[in-house]
């Protein structure tokens, strides 16, 4: 149990340090086009469902 708490504490401290650094050095004002990504979401999710069904019944 002590190991779990140590790992959680280290992850929490890392997040407290990393998030402000990422926000500080992230590029600002850059418009991103998510249209290309959103076009692929539904087919990829359907593929994941089919693969999981195959994995469930055959493995």
């Amino acid at each position: 149990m002590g190991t779990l708490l140590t790992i959680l504490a280290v992850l929490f401290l890392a997040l407290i340090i990393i998030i402000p650094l990422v926000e500080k050095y992230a590029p600002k004002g850059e418009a991103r086009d998510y249209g290309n990504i959103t076009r692929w979401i539904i087919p990829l999710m359907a593929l994941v469902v089919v693969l999981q069904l195959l994995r469930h019944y055959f493995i």
Side-chain angles (χ1 to χ4, degrees):
M1 185 70 174
T3 306
L4 176 64
L5 292 176
T6 304
I7 292 171
L8 289 174
V10 168
L11 288 173
F12 184 72
L13 288 174
L15 282 175
I16 288 177
I17 294 169
I18 290 172
I19 289 176
L21 289 175
V22 168
E23 289 177 352
K24 181 178 180 181
Y25 293 111
K28 293 179 178 54
E30 181 179 321
R32 296 187 180 179
D33 183 24
Y34 292 111
N36 194 19
I37 295 172
T38 57
R39 180 177 58 182
W40 289 97
I41 293 294
I42 302 290
L44 287 176
M45 291 305 295
L47 178 64
V48 167
V49 168
V50 169
L51 290 175
Q52 288 296 324
L53 283 171
L54 290 173
R55 180 177 175 221
H56 176 74
Y57 287 113
F58 295 111
I59 295 179

